[in-house]
Amino acid sequence: MLKRTPLFAAHQRLGGKLIEFGGWEMPVQYSSIMDEHLAVRKAGGLFDICHMGEVSVNGPGALDFLNHTLTNDARKLAVGQGQYTLMCNERGGVIDDLYAYRVGEEEFLLIINASRIDDDVAWLEKQHAAWPQVQLKNVSEQTGAVALQGPRVRQFIDQSLPSPFSGGAKVARASELKKNEIAATTFGGKPIYIGCTGYTGEDGFEIIAPAEVIEEIWNKLLAAGHAHCLQPAGLGARDTLRTEACYPLYGHELDEQTTPIEAGVGFFVALDKGEFIGRSVLAEQKAKGTAKKCVAFKMTDKSAPPRPHYAIWSAGSGAAKIGEVVSGTQSPTLNAGIGLGYVPPDFAKPGTSIEIEIRGKRSPAVVVAKPFYKRPA
């Protein structure tokens, strides 16, 4: 039996095409992936992210506990700030990538991947045994979330989510939030958080709220955004947008056998903060290099788009299979096939010619600098 988010009925009313995703019945699109993708790049899109998990970590020692279990340095977070971070096993493999928000002096909120909720909570609880003064609570079942993304969304968010703000970043209204800031307010008498974060490469917000009010928030945002060309957007556009931005997806770029250094997200590993789980392996990789690297590539001729698990070959005479695509799509912004894949370091330099095996035929591609798309300043 597939799980359904609190917005399931709203998706049905909007004519969303529903598919299975990580055990959930979720909208892949409403109009078309292309329309929704371009709406986010040019105006705004609204995504259901209620399937994501939420874990509350608070009490004396919460900061030290998170610095022991996560790769980034939580000490850098003031109240009202968030950071991208990763949770690794002892081998440096990624258990999950997540967002950690500091919502109080000794209170943190973790936003984790839907497919990893059970694994993450089990891992955190295992580590938590040595930190009895820390309260750890999985609040995923009671919590919903939506992502409001795009260059026009600041123009109308304040109509839907009025102030005052009672905690977090010191702002008078949601539109004042800067990247990675989070503020607390109420909606329908319930406490909610508004974070200036996202997974599309665009400006925007993620609103985290009790499940019982998330549909009203969704409806208010759609109504306020209508005049600004806001569209509901599904998983299809979410994937093409994050691929253009070169954001990793767990189970594709990241897994328990792959480290953050190999995945190209070593910037979020704070080796200088002291001991944490996986540190020794990550420090060695940082110093000595890795056997594989995650690269971005773009198809150079017309071809079907690359897809996960397609083989990557070296180019020219003596061509050999050198790696595998982990994410691939047709980029609506670039109008070209793009992808991410793992190759040996010798083939990771931008400008390197490679070939992607698509339906039994090798098509030319070139390694490019990340990301494919960066929003205008």
Side-chain angles (χ1 to χ4, degrees):
M1 186 71 181
L2 294 179
K3 290 180 273 191
R4 291 173 173 175
T5 79
L7 294 171
F8 180 80
H11 302 319
Q12 287 185 307
R13 285 194 298 273
L14 289 165
K17 181 184 177 185
L18 299 159
I19 63 161
E20 187 275 332
F21 177 78
W24 293 81
E25 195 168 1
M26 297 286 291
V28 65
Q29 65 187 71
Y30 301 87
S31 52
S32 76
I33 293 171
M34 174 80 79
D35 280 353
E36 292 161 26
H37 179 111
L38 295 176
V40 173
R41 289 279 180 253
K42 295 174 181 177
L46 185 63
F47 299 84
D48 178 1
I49 55 170
C50 294
H51 59 312
M52 303 287 281
E54 294 84 18
V55 175
S56 168
V57 183
N58 57 62
L63 177 63
D64 291 339
F65 171 70
L66 291 178
N67 257 4
H68 174 71
T69 51
L70 305 176
T71 62
N72 212 334
D73 190 349
R75 295 174 304 183
K76 293 180 178 177
L77 294 176
V79 174
Q81 291 183 329
Q83 64 183 196
Y84 177 78
T85 184
L86 302 105
M87 183 160 58
C88 292
N89 56 35
E90 291 89 347
R91 302 180 305 279
V94 178
I95 293 170
D96 202 2
D97 66 327
L98 59 138
Y99 243 85
Y101 294 109
R102 190 171 197 167
V103 294
E105 200 57 47
E106 297 179 337
E107 187 178 359
F108 295 81
L109 180 66
L110 310 182
I111 309 298
I112 60 180
N113 281 301
S115 65
R116 302 298 292 170
I117 294 172
D118 292 344
D119 298 272
D120 287 10
V121 172
W123 179 258
L124 286 166
E125 286 178 343
K126 181 182 173 186
Q127 312 311 317
H128 176 246
W131 305 77
Q133 73 277 37
V134 175
Q135 286 87 54
L136 186 69
K137 190 176 181 186
N138 177 11
V139 294
S140 306
E141 292 284 332
Q142 305 97 274
T143 309
V146 296
L148 179 69
Q149 301 281 293
R152 295 187 191 171
V153 299
R154 284 185 188 270
Q155 297 172 27
F156 62 84
I157 187 170
D158 297 332
Q159 293 172 241
S160 313
L161 302 168
S163 43
F165 288 92
S166 56
K170 302 285 193 258
V171 294
R173 53 187 67 86
S175 58
E176 293 177 8
L177 286 166
K178 298 183 179 71
K179 184 173 172 59
N180 289 338
E181 287 187 333
I182 189 168
T185 184
T186 58
F187 184 93
K190 304 286 184 179
I192 71 168
Y193 290 110
I194 306 171
C196 187
T197 46
Y199 192 52
T200 62
E202 293 297 336
D203 189 20
F205 305 89
E206 294 179 323
I207 298 100
I208 304 147
E212 59 265 32
V213 296
I214 202 71
E215 185 173 359
E216 190 180 350
I217 290 171
W218 169 274
N219 290 336
K220 284 199 83 166
L221 289 169
L222 279 180
H226 182 74
H228 302 268
C229 302
L230 177 71
Q231 289 189 33
L235 293 171
R238 189 166 165 84
D239 192 55
T240 55
L241 290 157
R242 72 94 193 166
T243 303
E244 286 186 350
C246 289
Y247 291 152
L249 174 63
Y250 198 89
H252 291 247
E253 289 70 34
L254 302 171
D255 57 42
E256 292 197 30
Q257 284 70 52
T258 304
T259 73
I261 310 299
E262 293 168 330
V265 288
F267 179 79
F268 305 100
V269 177
L271 293 172
D272 59 351
K273 70 173 178 173
E275 194 52 48
F276 60 91
I277 299 170
R279 184 191 180 282
S280 59
V281 175
L282 301 178
E284 185 178 3
Q285 287 189 344
K286 189 90 171 178
K288 297 181 178 177
T290 60
K292 65 177 183 178
K293 284 191 171 183
C294 185
V295 300
F297 66 85
K298 181 180 174 184
M299 306 306 297
T300 53
D301 282 358
K302 284 198 171 181
S303 68
R307 299 294 182 199
H309 307 300
Y310 285 7
I312 302 175
W313 290 72
S314 59
S317 58
K321 183 179 174 182
I322 56 169
E324 187 175 271
V325 176
V326 287
S327 291
T329 190
Q330 181 72 13
S331 163
T333 305
L334 305 179
N335 194 28
I338 60 170
L340 297 162
Y342 280 96
V343 298
D346 288 351
F347 295 90
K349 188 178 179 183
T352 302
S353 294
I354 56 173
E355 295 179 343
I356 310 299
E357 187 175 329
I358 301 174
R359 299 172 188 167
K361 180 188 170 191
R362 299 207 297 271
S363 297
V366 63
V367 174
V368 297
K370 298 178 185 176
F372 298 101
Y373 169 85
K374 195 167 187 179
R375 71 183 173 95

